[in-house]
Amino acid sequence: MGTVFAIVLVFVGCCSNVVSLELLVRDFPGCGNIVTFAQFVFIALEGFVFESNFGRKKPAIPVSNYVIMVTMFFTVSVINNYALNFNIAMPLHMIFRSGSLIANMILGIIILKKRYSASKYLSIALVSVGIFICTIMSAKQVNISNEGSEDQGFYAFMHWLIGIAMLTFALLMSARMGIFQETLYKQYGKHSKEALFYNHCLPLPGFLLLSTDIYNHCIYFNQSTPVLLPVVGVTMPIMWVYLLINVITQYVCIRGVFILTTECASLTVTLVVTLRKFLSLIFSIMYFQNPFTTWHWLGTAVVFVGTLLYTEVWSSLQTALRGPKEKKAE
């Protein structure tokens, strides 16, 4: 029962979160910092009350290690947000971040000296090809959609390349953070909820560096169209409503993933998260009518197949189907 509940939380929370984020980004492409700040404050307050018991509970993992993890986590979040200011479409942003398998494998080989099976290398190759196809086609759209002189077209393309470079750096940094977190869990044991709290609490002072941008977007949000909330009967600017929905759905999404990690094997968690990303992408394209060509669909399909191959879903299904037959034979 807990597994089904967690899967529902992941799909409903994460997919709703993507929709609310796109509603925010379509009106204010640079609003990523205020969105991240609101998410961090909400999750940190929840963790302060229920996880740290108002600061009275001693952490199982030394805070110094969390500081290192938080620095990487904060950097990844900010860079991913700023990348949206560099002509990066939301579908491309989502697909590009699906390349975490590539980054994890590369850093795993370099740092942890890991070796993988042939199927793992094939899956990474598929994911790489899929992302490459989507990236190239989006680059062409940048050039085609830009109207004006040749210099303006070159400027738009270079602007887009900066965004791609930022996404690449964030991808590698996120993979490095995952390896660091894996090492901590092996040494001190798994404390996912504690890590969730400190990852969102410790970076809060860092938002002071972004205070001007956050303040400006508060003003922009206040100037958005007011809407009447049906249940409470209160009038609120529409952008604040979108932000509130985004914060709540982000918490539901993260909470669902946490429950899933305690209920299921890592393979199941990876599969559910992968399917959620793919469903969010499809919904984003259909509902918001984002430009997506046949080549984009092909690239997306290749990324999806490569990810499933990496998680060894096919062999697991074969084993599950073979199991009952073997039992009957006995």
Side-chain angles (χ1 to χ4, degrees), residues 4 24 78 82 106 112 303:
V4 175
L24 289 163
V78 171
Y82 269 113
I106 292 174
L112 301 179
V303 169

Side-chain angles (χ1 to χ4, degrees), residues 158-180:
M158 293 304 295
H159 199 65
W160 176 84
L161 280 181
I162 294 174
I164 293 296
M166 293 173 71
L167 287 178
T168 303
F169 177 80
L171 198 65
L172 293 172
M173 178 67 77
S174 179
R176 182 64 185 90
M177 182 182 70
I179 292 175
F180 181 72

Side-chain angles (χ1 to χ4, degrees), residues 60-73:
I61 300 176
V63 176
S64 58
N65 288 316
Y66 279 124
V67 170
I68 298 173
M69 190 190 307
V70 158
T71 302
M72 293 188 282
F73 183 69

Side-chain angles (χ1 to χ4, degrees), residues 121-314:
Y121 288 114
L122 176 60
S123 67
I124 293 305
L126 289 173
V127 173
S128 302
V129 169
I131 292 177
F132 178 77
I133 291 173
C134 292
T135 305
I136 291 299
M137 295 311 298
S138 295
K140 287 184 177 180
Q141 284 182 354
V142 169
N143 289 333
I144 293 172
S145 62
N146 186 76
E147 295 179 0
S149 65
E150 185 177 338
D151 290 339
Q152 289 176 326
F154 177 77
Y155 173 78
F157 180 70
M158 293 304 295
H159 199 65
W160 176 84
L161 280 181
I162 294 174
I164 293 296
M166 293 173 71
L167 287 178
T168 303
F169 177 80
L171 198 65
L172 293 172
M173 178 67 77
S174 179
R176 182 64 185 90
M177 182 182 70
I179 292 175
F180 181 72
Q181 190 170 1
E182 181 182 338
T183 305
L184 286 181
Y185 283 168
K186 286 181 179 178
Q187 184 176 355
Y188 297 100
K190 290 188 176 182
H191 303 279
S192 302
K193 197 172 181 182
E194 179 185 287
L196 179 66
F197 165 62
Y198 282 101
N199 277 344
H200 289 81
C201 177
L202 294 180
L204 289 178
F207 283 100
L208 291 174
L209 301 174
L210 310 171
S211 57
T212 302
D213 180 74
I214 294 172
Y215 176 75
N216 289 336
H217 278 89
C218 285
I219 296 176
Y220 297 149
F221 281 19
N222 287 334
Q223 295 171 349
S224 61
T225 306
V227 294
L228 179 65
L229 300 181
V231 179
V232 294
V234 177
T235 301
M236 182 183 296
I238 187 65
M239 296 304 291
W240 286 113
V241 176
Y242 290 156
L243 181 61
L244 178 62
I245 295 173
N246 181 269
V247 168
I248 294 174
T249 53
Q250 174 72 4
Y251 173 76
V252 172
C253 175
I254 292 179
R255 184 69 175 162
V257 173
F258 168 73
I259 296 174
L260 203 61
T261 56
T262 59
E263 295 281 342
C264 306
S266 59
L267 174 63
T268 306
V269 177
T270 305
L271 177 59
V272 170
V273 172
T274 301
L275 291 173
R276 192 277 304 169
K277 287 180 180 179
F278 190 69
L279 183 62
S280 299
L281 176 64
I282 300 300
F283 188 85
S284 172
I285 294 164
M286 295 296 188
Y287 184 81
F288 294 103
Q289 298 180 347
N290 285 309
F292 224 65
T293 66
T294 304
W295 285 104
H296 283 94
W297 281 111
L298 176 62
T300 304
V302 173
V303 169
F304 186 62
V305 171
T307 305
L308 289 180
L309 182 62
Y310 182 89
T311 56
E312 298 179 354
V313 172
W314 315 122

